[in-house]
Amino acid sequence: MNALAEIRSRFLPVLESHSDSATELLGMIRPAGDPKFGDYQANVAMPLGKKVGKSPRDLAAEIMDAISLEGLCSNTEVAGPGFINLTLDNAWLKNQLLASLADDRLGVEQVTNPKTYIVDFSSPNVAKPMHVGHIRSTVIGDAIAKILGFVGHKVITDNHVGDWGTQFGMIIYGYKNFLDPAAYESEPVGELSRLYRKVRQLIDYHGALANIDGVRTEIDTLGGQLEQLKAQQAATEEKSAVKKIKKEISATQKRLKAKQETLESFEKKITAVETGELATEANAHPEIGTAVLLETAALHKGDAQNLALWNEFLPACREDMQKIYRRLGVSFDHELGESFYNDQLQAVVDDFEAKGFARTSDGALCVFMNDYDTPMIIRKKDGAFLYSTTDLATIKYRDDEFDADACLYVVDHRQHEHFEKLFDAARLWGYTETEYKHVAFGTVMGDDGKPFKTRDGDTVGLGGLLDDAESKALKIAIDQNPDLSEERQKEIASVIGIGGLKYVDLSQNRASDYEFSYEKMLALKGNTATYLQFSYARIQGIIRKTGADPTAIRKNPVPFEFATDIERELAVKLIRFSEALDDVLVEYKPNMLCAYLFELTQIFFRFLEQCSVKDAQSESLKQSRLQFCDLMSRTIQTGLGLLGIEVVEQM
RNA sequence: GCCUCCAUAGCUCAACUGGAUAGAGCACCGCUCUUCUAAAGCGGAUGUUGCAGGUUCGAGUCCUGCUGGAGGUACCA
């Protein structure tokens, strides 16, 4: 049973007698901010007192007279301006612990009104090298899906793979012009990836070459403007005018800086090609940019050769992706990529046109919506469809097939506006029953404070990062467990290494951008998965050493004992597992569960320091502590499991 | 220009959506292993929550303005 929910349900009738918005007030009953105030606190009296014109303290007293917390709270007090502090009854707590001990679900009740959720996550582009930025959607989406499922919802996961985009035009062009047949024979994906990078580089080169003079001119112009503005500033005396000029100066400086950065990156791209081996090839393929677009267009129109190549490339690319997913332990119910929707796009566009939701503007078919300056384009003027079109088709397909109550898109926050438009368009189209939600997450930044990009050579790809995480964990695993077999050591290293990597993404508020740090990704100390996993392994050690049988512990429990304060503290935290899951689902924030597990583990390690199991003063206390250990190990295992992180018996 | 998000300890981040004295980890300095795994525990300090106002019993959180950063902004995804 969820203690918070139980307290709230006891408050509800009393609050209803004082206010019409009792349900809202329930949100003001929450875990106590400080243990000295008890376990929970109700902050309802302050706003309510104001509303009904009573002193909050009097009202709090009145509420407490009317309420029945019999058997649930042993102590209540009104404090400060009108806080109601609540302390759980120890007998009630012990009963809850016993109930959780006997329950596979650790006392977490299933929701009474299960819904169907589609969780759309990961969605990488195949055939493009994956980097560390791609891991975020995958682990966050996976965790949200698992948690939704655990609390009793029906969950359908779908990986909306990018398997139909321009990158295939590039690879096809590369295949036709630069293929190394031997390399392709022995390592097809590696060769395709090389072709992708090469074509990308040549396109960037020609793009830079074509635009660099323009950028130089712009820089000159901006520089001139800046001089003028500065002269103006010096000649102006009136305050508001000076302020205005200052603002323009700073805006101009900003633009100038941006242009200079562009210039630098152009220069880099040009030198990289001209001083390298690519120079002659660059000259031989001056029209590579348009050529690639033509290859892509041909593919989309069903050109036999390109389609055959695409069919040849795709399985290998997908298999390469699956290797990463297998290592991450992530799987999907569906992997309906963009190509899957290809033959449905025309119908979507026709429908929008027929119903008058879209009209042609500047040659493109556009959906105009009130809240936006720019329309959502669903067909380009060259007749090609876009991401938006595919997304609309996906909405329709999912509605036909799955009839979900909600659809969550776990995607980078840079696509915020795209999704706002998409959801509006979907509602316009008639999909008003489903709740669409963009579960956005922050960008992974490089150490320069700019979005993380794979730079050639000096950054590890995703696979390499996983290797490093495992090999670093392996060193410590060998050091710590010299007697274990090599196989076991490797298994431990994999669980610890991968778990640590995932935990970095999960433990942060998903909304924040975060700075990629190699050290942080591979850290095994502090607030990391390793810390949590270690508590589990410790418990397994205790169970081994004491010769206890976990099944027997659960089947024949003794009453829990609180011989020390820390045991009660641990008890309170353990029964809050269910609250932590609720907290995650309010805003789909897995870091709420990480924070819970971390705090729980901190308490647990203090418990271990203070409370010997083996040398407990009495047999009954020893049993009680074994029961704590069992509950703890299952809470960690389940909690980490919901985050997609495994545990090991020994480490 | 317009729109969205962000600014918290030296660093990386939390803060249960308006609650009581803003918390962790990292890094740094000590201490604790013949006693269930030291991948642990204990102790040590650091803050005008970017700036200026406002709203109220109460603001890191809400509103206004400013400064600084990131992203988006008609045919990329």
Side-chain angles (χ1 to χ4, degrees):
Chain A
M1 189 182 297
N2 185 312
L4 183 58
E6 180 64 17
I7 290 173
R8 284 178 176 163
S9 78
R10 305 258 184 129
F11 267 85
L12 187 59
V14 183
L15 293 180
E16 274 172 341
S17 69
H18 284 87
S19 161
D20 333 320
S21 51
T23 333
E24 278 171 44
L25 287 170
L26 287 182
M28 313 193 74
I29 304 172
R30 58 183 54 195
D34 188 318
K36 77 180 176 205
F37 300 133
D39 300 319
Y40 291 88
Q41 62 183 47
N43 304 333
V44 293
M46 281 89 77
L48 196 53
K50 173 115 186 159
K51 223 173 171 183
V52 300
K54 283 183 187 171
S55 117
R57 285 194 70 105
D58 291 349
L59 186 65
E62 222 173 278
I63 290 171
M64 294 320 290
D65 281 342
I67 203 167
S68 162
L69 294 169
E70 192 57 39
L72 180 61
C73 294
S74 59
N75 188 32
T76 62
E77 55 165 10
V78 176
F83 293 103
I84 299 168
N85 293 333
L86 307 165
T87 305
L88 291 171
D89 183 69
N90 283 350
W92 185 87
L93 256 180
K94 289 172 185 175
N95 276 333
Q96 289 308 308
L97 292 172
L98 283 176
S100 297
L101 190 70
D103 182 6
D104 286 341
R105 298 180 52 78
L106 298 160
V108 179
E109 286 159 3
Q110 306 242 19
V111 289
T112 48
N113 54 338
K115 292 183 182 175
T116 301
Y117 284 85
I118 295 171
V119 185
D120 178 324
F121 67 101
S122 198
S123 314
N125 286 317
V126 300
K128 262 175 161 174
M130 271 199 194
H131 65 71
V132 59
H134 295 110
I135 208 178
R136 224 177 168 191
S137 170
T138 310
V139 298
I140 293 173
D142 187 47
I144 290 171
K146 286 187 160 99
I147 294 166
L148 281 169
F150 185 75
V151 303
H153 296 293
K154 183 177 176 199
V155 178
I156 299 161
T157 56
D158 187 11
N159 186 5
H160 192 74
V161 176
D163 61 359
W164 197 240
T166 320
Q167 81 267 33
F168 277 101
M170 296 190 198
I171 295 173
I172 289 170
Y173 187 88
Y175 183 91
K176 290 179 179 173
N177 292 283
F178 309 119
L179 184 74
D180 174 349
Y184 185 65
E185 183 75 23
S186 65
E187 237 193 284
V189 180
E191 173 62 5
L192 292 179
S193 168
R194 183 189 71 88
L195 291 174
Y196 170 81
R197 284 197 304 269
K198 180 166 182 168
V199 173
R200 167 96 263 166
Q201 202 183 353
L202 291 177
I203 292 175
D204 286 348
Y205 167 75
H206 285 295
L209 215 54
N211 293 306
I212 194 161
D213 287 337
V215 173
R216 285 202 178 106
T217 321
E218 280 178 79
I219 288 176
D220 286 346
T221 318
L222 284 170
Q225 281 174 5
L226 203 58
E227 290 307 311
Q228 268 186 6
L229 283 166
K230 279 181 178 163
Q232 265 182 46
Q233 187 190 11
T236 314
E237 279 178 16
E238 206 233 326
K239 261 190 176 174
S240 66
V242 171
K243 204 175 159 188
K244 204 175 155 190
I245 293 173
K246 265 191 174 169
K247 214 171 168 180
E248 273 184 55
I249 288 179
S250 111
T252 310
Q253 280 171 335
K254 232 168 149 178
R255 273 198 296 268
L256 189 60
K257 198 181 153 204
K259 288 292 169 199
Q260 276 161 346
E261 277 173 17
T262 312
L263 180 65
E264 261 177 53
S265 92
F266 278 0
E267 282 169 344
K268 248 192 211 162
K269 281 170 182 166
I270 292 170
T271 15
V273 168
E274 287 181 348
T275 60
E277 317 159 337
L278 285 177
T280 42
E281 276 169 337
N283 289 329
H285 299 266
E287 299 298 328
I288 189 167
T290 32
V292 160
L293 289 180
L294 288 176
E295 295 291 6
T296 312
L299 170 67
H300 289 180
K301 285 193 179 116
D303 174 84
Q305 190 194 4
N306 283 9
L307 204 55
L309 285 174
W310 180 80
N311 275 313
E312 186 181 323
F313 299 155
L314 193 63
C317 294
R318 282 206 170 230
E319 173 50 30
D320 198 52
M321 239 171 54
Q322 291 305 327
K323 273 186 205 153
I324 299 277
Y325 287 134
R326 272 196 294 274
R327 293 182 73 180
L328 290 174
V330 172
S331 61
F332 303 87
D333 298 323
H334 302 280
E335 288 197 319
L336 303 174
E338 290 173 340
S339 63
F340 175 81
Y341 297 99
N342 184 44
D343 57 6
Q344 302 167 32
L345 302 181
Q346 187 62 51
V348 170
V349 170
D350 289 347
D351 201 39
F352 264 81
E353 218 170 3
K355 289 182 174 147
F357 299 145
R359 63 181 164 82
T360 308
S361 168
D362 284 347
L365 191 65
C366 302
V367 183
F368 285 91
M369 286 165 290
N370 289 335
D371 298 336
Y372 308 100
D373 295 339
T374 54
M376 184 171 83
I377 297 174
I378 56 176
R379 190 183 60 212
K380 299 201 275 185
K381 66 179 163 200
D382 66 6
F385 302 124
L386 297 102
Y387 186 41
S388 327
T389 329
T390 313
D391 276 349
L392 285 170
T394 307
I395 284 176
K396 175 172 162 45
Y397 177 83
R398 286 175 179 166
D399 190 74
D400 293 345
E401 289 295 313
F402 308 128
D403 193 26
D405 298 294
C407 183
L408 311 179
Y409 293 79
V410 185
V411 183
D412 192 313
H413 70 48
R414 281 176 289 188
Q415 296 188 34
H416 180 75
E417 189 172 321
H418 163 74
F419 281 112
E420 291 296 307
K421 283 180 181 169
L422 177 70
F423 299 159
D424 276 0
R427 280 187 281 270
L428 184 69
W429 204 15
Y431 295 100
T432 51
E433 300 293 306
T434 308
E435 183 197 342
Y436 295 100
K437 168 110 181 147
H438 177 204
V439 178
F441 54 86
T443 317
V444 179
M445 307 296 235
D447 49 15
D448 55 356
K450 296 259 159 111
F452 187 90
K453 295 223 171 70
T454 334
R455 284 159 293 187
D456 284 326
D458 64 348
T459 36
V460 263
L462 201 43
L465 187 64
L466 297 181
D467 290 342
D468 286 351
E470 287 181 348
S471 68
K472 181 167 179 189
L474 184 60
K475 269 187 203 146
I476 300 177
I478 292 170
D479 201 39
Q480 294 286 328
N481 309 281
D483 301 336
L484 290 181
S485 68
E486 194 180 322
E487 195 188 341
R488 287 286 299 149
Q489 289 168 337
K490 278 191 175 158
E491 194 186 323
I492 292 168
S494 162
V495 169
I496 304 295
I498 304 292
L501 217 59
K502 287 185 170 188
Y503 193 85
V504 172
D505 267 323
L506 292 166
S507 59
Q508 262 165 117
N509 186 328
R510 62 173 168 78
S512 339
D513 290 346
Y514 81 81
E515 191 177 309
F516 171 76
S517 136
Y518 208 70
E519 290 72 35
K520 194 173 169 183
M521 271 281 178
L522 304 182
L524 301 171
K525 285 184 153 189
N527 183 5
T528 62
T530 310
Y531 181 73
L532 311 185
Q533 288 162 325
F534 184 54
S535 73
Y536 180 87
R538 283 282 296 271
I539 294 168
Q540 305 318 307
I542 290 172
I543 288 174
R544 275 196 304 274
K545 292 267 164 70
T546 53
D549 170 10
T551 323
I553 294 173
R554 285 165 225 159
K555 284 233 166 93
N556 309 301
V558 303
F560 276 89
E561 293 181 29
F562 299 159
T564 57
D565 288 347
I566 195 74
E567 282 162 291
R568 187 185 185 279
E569 201 182 335
L570 181 59
V572 172
K573 200 71 185 180
L574 280 168
I575 63 151
R576 284 200 185 145
F577 181 47
S578 158
E579 289 173 28
L581 300 182
D582 290 345
D583 288 342
V584 169
L585 295 180
V586 173
E587 282 291 335
Y588 307 109
K589 283 160 69 168
N591 67 306
M592 302 303 271
L593 179 54
C594 293
Y596 167 80
L597 293 173
F598 179 61
E599 286 159 17
L600 173 67
T601 304
Q602 284 183 310
I603 295 171
F604 180 75
F605 275 123
R606 280 195 280 131
F607 161 83
L608 272 196
E609 291 291 322
Q610 294 173 34
C611 303
S612 172
V613 175
K614 197 176 61 180
D615 301 323
Q617 292 91 322
S618 69
E619 189 56 29
S620 63
L621 187 59
K622 180 179 170 183
Q623 285 305 314
S624 166
R625 287 177 178 171
L626 277 170
Q627 288 169 191
F628 270 119
C629 285
D630 181 64
L631 261 183
M632 174 68 193
S633 76
R634 287 158 61 205
T635 305
I636 285 293
Q637 185 175 25
T638 309
L640 283 177
L642 292 174
L643 296 171
I645 298 171
E646 294 176 72
V647 292
V648 282
E649 302 298 304
Q650 197 174 350
M651 61 188 269

